[in-house]
Amino acid sequence: MRNITIIGAGYVGLVTGVGLAEFGNKVICVDIDKDKISQLKSGLIPIYEPGLEEIIKRNVKSERLYFSDDISLSIQKSQVIIIAVGTPQTSEGDANMEYVNSVVRAINKNLKDYKIICTKSTVPIGTGGRIIKTLSNDFEEGIDFDYVSNPEFLREGSAVKDFLWPDRIIIGTTSDKAYEIMCDIYKPLYINKNPIKHTTVETAEMIKYASNSFLALKISYINEIANLCETVGADIHDVASAMGQDGRISDKFLHPGPGFGGSCFPKDLESLIAISKEKNIPMETLSAAKKANINQKAKMGTKLENLINASLKGKKIAVLGLSFKANTDDVRESSSIDMIEFILSKGGIVSAYDPIANVSMLKLFKNISYFDNVYDAIKGADALVVMTEWNEFRALDLPRIKNIMKNAFILDTRNIINMSELSKLGFVYDNIGRIKI
Ligand code: NAD
Ligand code: UGA
């Protein structure tokens, strides 16, 4: 059992905190956002993440998980300090390091005995080296502190499962002592199966960027293949599943869609492009993946216009799904944002529905209508667009929808609606890369 403080109680910090508590450690989750901490203290979970509430409650009750807004005291109380604050993109495309830097300053002020300073936030390669250098102005590495890079690979929507059963845990450090302590905090995983990989700090930082960028590249690739399928009479469903049967390719992340979103792929891709430019090692594949994604998002609007074969002016469009993927309330970089902007720019009217993310999208768009029920959003619509692959959209009552829509146009950007049923009911539809029935 180790005493751990996690700084930043967002998607990653909260899940890491509760996961490490579940592994038997004593964890304090600390955040600068006092409202968030008071919510957590009163049992309210500030984000939607399946399974999170239950596991938080269990660990709070077992006195392994605590919440605090006192950063100084929380640093002093623990031996392992994990940085999990945001690293959003700046307007130049590189990672904004102001939150990480402010945490490092707080650590600097409160380093009174030996601690492991561990970064879980996704940071540019070289950040660990800079943090070690900053702390070394006042303290001795190896005596007062050791540094670890321990990047996180969880996905929103399945974060708890991903954290508790990870494919790999990367521990980047040059200190044997820190490596052993880090292995100890992940001990239950270490005993059953050994997913731990020991690397240098820079290698650990690179593994994170290289992994996210590769997945983004894979999605852009399949999106472009899907677009080509549409023009050559091939079906992306069969193409992707047959490609995936080849173990070297794998069937994961081969689902075409409206372009990838979320708080990570777009920014991490951009950040790696910025690093490669700075180092004068151009990475053409990454720039292509980024460009293909911008094109894919824009293509969804064109598809909608082509489908209804008329101007969107005055047309009511039901947009189903606002989060950047299913099972999350997160709308950061969601393709739905591009779709809504496009419809509004053409003079259309948006009626939006998401089972969870209406509240998050309301912060970005006040001038559209939000509904609590999918059929209320669809009623009287000229067209319907599925943007997120929520399970409830896979089981829509299509005959009912046909009756309540003004015009029977459906654009399914996630390929989740049964085409033969659509066709039988007389819908005019489009999707991504499928042979229409
Ligand atoms: P988030 O925005 O959900 O949470 C960040 C939290 O840090 C916020 O609650 C904020 O109030 C807090 N914070 C900011 N400055 C602080 C300070 N000085 N002291 C204490 N708290 C502070 O971010 P996130 O999605 O959890 O991402 C965090 C990091 O993890 C990013 O670098 C991201 O790239 C990386 N990451 C994210 C995911 C994901 O799925 N979201 C997965 C893997 C890695
Ligand atoms: C992603 C990675 O999958 C995580 O491993 C990583 O830890 C995380 O980024 C991060 O660094 O923050 P996340 O952004 O939560 O996780 O979600 P993904 O499931 O990867 O989806 C990202 C986007 O790609 C979504 O918009 C999704 O709809 C899209 N996507 C995904 C596709 O269009 N097709 C696919 O086959 C898979």
Side-chain angles (χ1 to χ4, degrees):
M1 193 280 288
R2 300 279 172 176
N3 289 320
I4 302 168
T5 288
I6 318 264
I7 307 184
Y11 287 89
V12 166
L14 210 46
V15 174
T16 301
V18 73
L20 293 178
E22 184 78 3
F23 293 159
N25 300 288
K26 200 162 178 178
V27 179
I28 308 170
C29 281
V30 57
D31 203 286
I32 206 167
D33 183 339
K34 289 188 190 315
D35 288 344
K36 193 176 262 187
I37 293 300
S38 64
Q39 272 186 47
L40 284 162
K41 280 184 171 170
S42 60
L44 296 171
I45 313 302
I47 53 170
Y48 175 82
E49 188 58 52
L52 187 60
E53 183 168 355
E54 186 204 325
I55 185 175
I56 286 184
K57 288 199 167 142
R58 187 167 68 238
N59 281 281
V60 167
K61 201 168 163 210
S62 310
E63 300 185 339
R64 286 192 298 260
L65 182 64
Y66 299 85
F67 302 106
S68 169
D69 56 18
D70 188 333
I71 295 174
S72 301
L73 193 63
S74 304
I75 291 172
Q76 288 167 29
K77 275 187 171 170
S78 296
Q79 186 189 40
V80 180
I81 312 297
I82 298 182
I83 304 171
V85 295
T87 47
Q89 197 177 310
T90 67
S91 51
E92 278 81 47
D94 53 350
N96 179 349
M97 296 302 291
E98 70 175 286
Y99 308 104
V100 171
N101 293 341
S102 126
V103 172
V104 172
R105 284 195 294 276
I107 292 171
N108 207 81
K109 272 193 211 147
N110 292 284
L111 198 58
K112 308 226 187 286
D113 50 6
Y114 174 81
K115 292 193 193 307
I116 289 179
I117 313 304
C118 167
T119 301
K120 199 167 257 305
S121 300
T122 304
V123 291
I125 303 119
T127 299
R130 277 195 289 280
I131 294 177
I132 293 171
K133 212 166 156 206
T134 304
L135 293 175
S136 297
N137 289 332
D138 297 306
F139 304 98
E140 196 173 338
E141 188 186 3
I143 304 288
D144 300 313
F145 77 94
D146 276 310
Y147 183 82
V148 173
S149 167
N150 174 220
E152 182 51 55
F153 300 95
L154 62 78
R155 289 161 299 173
E156 291 179 23
S158 54
V160 174
K161 185 178 139 285
D162 288 347
F163 191 88
L164 296 180
W165 292 278
D167 291 333
R168 77 290 210 196
I169 295 163
I170 306 299
I171 299 180
T173 185
T174 46
S175 155
D176 291 340
K177 180 179 174 184
Y179 177 68
E180 268 162 37
I181 293 173
M182 290 303 292
C183 285
D184 197 38
I185 74 171
Y186 285 108
K187 201 166 178 182
L189 298 172
Y190 195 58
I191 291 168
N192 295 332
K193 173 182 160 232
N194 188 352
I196 296 182
K197 193 168 177 67
H198 187 179
T199 69
T200 65
V201 170
E202 289 74 15
T203 301
E205 291 169 341
M206 181 56 116
I207 288 169
K208 177 63 194 174
Y209 272 114
S211 301
N212 269 10
S213 298
F214 182 75
L215 292 172
L217 192 71
K218 201 172 176 190
I219 299 167
S220 274
Y221 179 77
I222 204 67
N223 282 339
E224 290 202 314
I225 293 288
N227 297 341
L228 193 57
C229 279
E230 288 179 3
T231 64
V232 299
D235 190 287
I236 191 62
H237 188 82
D238 292 335
V239 171
S241 69
M243 281 172 68
Q245 282 175 304
D246 184 332
R248 294 170 301 173
I249 297 174
S250 121
D251 60 358
K252 306 277 187 324
F253 278 67
L254 275 188
H255 305 287
F260 57 77
S263 64
C264 294
F265 283 173
K267 84 160 165 66
D268 293 345
L269 192 59
E270 196 75 66
S271 179
L272 195 53
I273 291 171
I275 294 167
S276 73
K277 276 194 186 141
E278 188 197 309
K279 301 292 177 196
N280 211 11
I281 307 285
M283 294 193 64
E284 308 297 353
T285 50
L286 303 188
S287 305
K290 174 187 158 186
K291 191 157 176 247
N293 199 48
I294 293 169
N295 293 346
Q296 191 69 7
K297 288 185 170 190
K299 192 178 169 75
M300 298 303 111
T302 314
K303 264 181 169 291
L304 176 61
E305 267 187 333
N306 291 344
L307 177 70
I308 68 172
N309 197 20
S311 156
L312 289 177
K313 197 162 192 278
K315 298 275 189 317
K316 179 174 163 178
I317 314 294
V319 175
L320 305 192
L322 303 175
S323 54
F324 78 96
K325 60 185 269 192
N327 297 321
T328 179
D329 57 352
D330 197 341
V331 300
R332 288 179 281 185
E333 301 285 328
S334 171
S335 300
S336 307
I337 296 174
D338 301 74
M339 177 54 82
I340 293 169
E341 275 172 353
F342 178 80
I343 298 167
L344 295 178
S345 74
K346 297 285 176 174
I349 300 154
V350 174
S351 45
Y353 169 77
D354 190 287
I356 297 290
N358 280 356
V359 176
S360 313
M361 198 58 107
L362 182 60
K363 291 177 195 145
L364 301 183
F365 294 99
K366 308 252 184 281
N367 53 341
I368 64 173
S369 310
Y370 296 88
F371 293 85
D372 294 331
N373 175 294
V374 65
Y375 299 101
D376 290 344
I378 293 168
K379 205 169 164 192
D382 291 285
L384 179 167
V385 186
V386 174
M387 293 300 296
T388 312
E389 73 287 18
W390 284 100
N391 268 341
E392 75 170 275
F393 303 151
R394 297 174 197 268
L396 289 172
D397 182 344
L398 293 174
R400 179 174 171 193
I401 289 176
K402 181 82 194 312
N403 278 336
I404 61 176
M405 280 182 83
K406 189 169 163 199
N407 287 304
F409 292 113
I410 294 192
L411 173 60
D412 173 13
T413 72
R414 298 286 184 168
N415 291 353
I416 55 173
I417 302 185
N418 185 295
M419 290 190 292
S420 57
E421 209 185 335
L422 283 175
S423 160
K424 238 189 289 161
L425 290 165
F427 280 97
V428 177
Y429 67 92
D430 193 11
N431 45 31
I432 314 293
R434 305 290 320 263
I435 296 175
K436 311 293 178 293
I437 294 174

